[in-house]
Amino acid sequence: MSATQHQIEGVITQGVTLARGFRAAGVSAGISALEGKKDVALVVNDGPLKNAAAVFTTNRFAAAPVLWSQQVVGDGRVDAVLLNSGGANACTGAPGFQDTHTSAEHVADLLNISAGDVLVCSTGLIGQRLPLDNLLAGSEQAARALGVSPSDSLAAAEAIMTTDTVPKQAAICVEVEQGGDYLIGGMAKGAGMLAPGLATMLVVLTTDAVLSPEDLDTALRQAVRLSFNRADADGCMSTNDTVVLMGSGASGLVPDLVGFTEALTKVCQDLALQLIGDAEGASHDIHVRTFNAATEEEAEEVSRAVSRSNLFKTAIFGNDPNWGRILSEVGTTSADFDPENVNVLINGVQVCTGGGIGQDRKLVDLAADRKVTVEIDLAAGEHEATIWTNDLTHDYVHENSAYSS
């Protein structure tokens, strides 16, 4: 059935098992340094379609599982995704790539599928080999534990956590006018090294809509552009970022691609905001919106410049609405604007008017709420873009200075 009309319902707190045709599991295999922590997850597409698309980090030191998975998804088919926390398997050379290959073959044997259809994702410390025996044993446990319940979905989301403090899941139901619905679900991990290309993240997205690999790819790239690539916690890019979208076709509904992309973007944005909300050591979630820009690209450039300023981020941590630090970053960009026409608002208070002094900055209360909204009016056009970031705290410095010890 072709679904041309749709109604997008609110985001649901369940992940990859909400969509029909998918099973998941998360188990403890002793890979993580935290005793008893779940550290191996498995997500399986039971079809009838096994279509997929994925995007990966642009870091030139891409990890072994990224190099493997880029090959796997090349034909638009993924039957299963094996994920682990507790080790990134990055910068491990040919032996690390062989470990990834071996783990994919092991999952393929367990599920009676082809190793060339098994995506592999790893997250954790760079520069160490994974304990392969643990990973293989964990994949066996996960294969036996596969299920479709919310608890199975949650277990998988918990297994991919590293410095995350909470699991991250989202899903959505799209009702079609002709009757019936299709579903999109997802899980994500990430709390630091969040920057475009994609973030230190692993994301698995599932849908039971009927879509070709090409349409899945089109929708995914647009959704990622407006979600994960707008999350910029600390300007650092990981070696392991992977976002995969699998389509089972189990709903029997062929969605309007525009409507599907809108729904997928909503799920991805919800997950991206969860990543920012759990950023390492953060005490404020900051939305930097640049509007009335000449182009969307220029609006994004301005918002990103501000979001990456350590001076700005530390000011927000100190509850100091220092708008001068915002304006000085805007001035470093190539965006088209007249400095005498730029306005800046912090939590709705116009602290800068026409590039100069606006309302009293003391009217801005940054201590009352975790969320901070910065709005930059360039008065140069009709476009806008928002970057999501967070403040820079003592806890962030402490957590990352002791990460590998």
Side-chain angles (χ1 to χ4, degrees), residues 186-378:
M187 66 178 185
K189 66 78 50 182
M193 288 182 77
L194 298 183
L198 298 155
T200 285
M201 61 167 60
L202 300 181
V203 180
V204 178
L205 301 160
T206 58
T207 183
D208 53 23
V210 178
L211 288 164
S212 68
E214 293 76 17
D215 283 345
L216 290 173
D217 184 75
T218 297
L220 180 62
R221 292 182 184 278
Q222 174 68 356
V224 165
R225 185 180 75 82
L226 296 176
S227 58
F228 301 121
N229 276 345
R230 297 283 176 89
D232 199 334
D234 51 17
C236 299
M237 183 191 297
S238 169
T239 56
N240 289 61
D241 308 332
T242 300
V243 180
V244 57
L245 170 62
M246 296 188 287
S248 70
S251 71
L253 295 174
V254 181
D256 167 67
L257 186 57
V258 173
F260 177 82
T261 303
E262 179 186 348
L264 180 66
T265 300
K266 190 170 183 179
V267 170
C268 291
Q269 288 178 339
D270 188 271
L271 290 170
L273 288 171
Q274 290 184 55
L275 297 177
I276 288 295
D278 194 29
E280 292 168 341
S283 61
H284 291 90
D285 303 332
I286 309 169
H287 296 213
V288 183
R289 172 182 176 244
T290 298
F291 64 105
N292 289 336
T295 67
E296 181 182 342
E297 291 75 17
E298 292 186 3
E300 183 176 343
E301 180 188 1
V302 169
S303 290
R304 198 174 301 284
V306 173
S307 73
R308 287 188 171 180
S309 166
N310 285 338
L311 286 175
F312 163 70
K313 290 157 77 76
T314 52
I316 299 300
F317 170 58
N319 297 322
D320 177 13
N322 188 340
W323 57 269
R325 293 182 176 179
I326 299 171
L327 216 60
S328 63
E329 290 302 321
V330 176
T332 68
T333 70
S334 61
D336 180 23
F337 62 84
D338 182 341
E340 295 185 356
N341 292 333
V342 174
N343 304 315
V344 176
L345 296 88
I346 303 178
N347 285 354
V349 179
Q350 189 164 314
V351 290
C352 169
T353 300
I357 300 171
Q359 293 177 271
D360 189 342
R361 69 182 69 191
K362 293 180 181 179
L363 297 173
V364 181
D365 184 0
L366 296 177
D369 193 354
R370 183 180 174 97
K371 181 179 177 180
V372 176
T373 301
V374 173
E375 297 174 285
I376 303 160
D377 178 4
L378 294 184

Side-chain angles (χ1 to χ4, degrees), residues 86-103:
N89 195 8
C91 302
T92 50
F97 188 84
Q98 183 58 52
D99 290 343
T100 295
H101 191 173
T102 299
S103 63

